[in-house]
């Protein structure tokens, strides 16, 4: 992977994570600017990772473990969007959407990194 792609990943991921921590500290109601930036950087990061992983997986012939991790990554991304939306409109559920959002954040970062490092090596 060339330097420009790595730099783009960093430039998208760091603000997504930092804005997430800011939202966590501020709590509801979420500041609109920080919330919007968080959504944009997070969506950009998820799409960029997905494109990179798809290219690497297709070059590798879609090995089973990597494909499972990619599917888990994609499902986590979708569920993160849903849980973030439910938090923003303040719908209460059985479990706190914040807890679900935090767990999914760890899953998406973990599956993305593991899949990337397996695909690179």
């Amino acid at each position: 992977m060339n330097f420009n792609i790595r730099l783009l990943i960093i430039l998208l991921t760091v603000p997504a994570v930092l804005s997430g921590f800011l939202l966590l500290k501020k709590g509801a109601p979420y500041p609109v600017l920080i919330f919007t930036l968080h959504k944009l950087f997070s969506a950009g990061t998820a799409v960029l990772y997905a494109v990179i992983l798809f290219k690497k997986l297709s070059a590798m012939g879609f090995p089973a473990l990597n494909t499972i991790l990619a599917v888990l990554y994609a499902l986590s991304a979708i569920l993160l969007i849903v849980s973030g939306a439910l938090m923003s409109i303040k719908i209460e559920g059985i479990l706190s959407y914040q807890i679900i959002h935090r767990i999914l954040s760890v899953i998406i970062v973990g599956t993305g990194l593991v899949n990337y490092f397996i695909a690179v090596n």
Side-chain angles (χ1 to χ4, degrees), residues 1 6 52-53 56 111-121:
M1 182 178 340
R6 289 182 184 175
I52 291 168
L53 283 174
K56 290 197 176 295
T111 56
L113 288 175
V114 169
N115 212 351
Y116 171 76
F117 285 116
I118 290 173
V120 168
N121 294 326

Side-chain angles (χ1 to χ4, degrees), residues 27-98:
Y30 301 109
V32 175
L33 177 64
I34 298 171
F35 189 64
T36 303
L37 290 174
H38 177 69
K39 290 188 289 187
L40 290 173
F41 282 115
S42 298
T45 302
V47 169
L48 180 63
Y49 276 15
V51 168
I52 291 168
L53 283 174
F54 181 79
K55 285 182 180 181
K56 290 197 176 295
L57 291 177
S58 63
M60 296 169 59
F62 295 100
L65 176 61
N66 294 91
T67 304
I68 291 169
L69 289 171
V71 169
L72 186 57
Y73 177 90
L75 289 174
S76 296
I78 292 166
L79 292 173
L80 273 167
I81 292 168
V82 170
S83 65
L86 291 173
M87 285 188 324
S88 70
I89 58 175
K90 300 176 188 127
I91 293 179
E92 296 298 324
I94 297 170
L95 292 174
S96 168
Y97 292 114
Q98 286 182 334

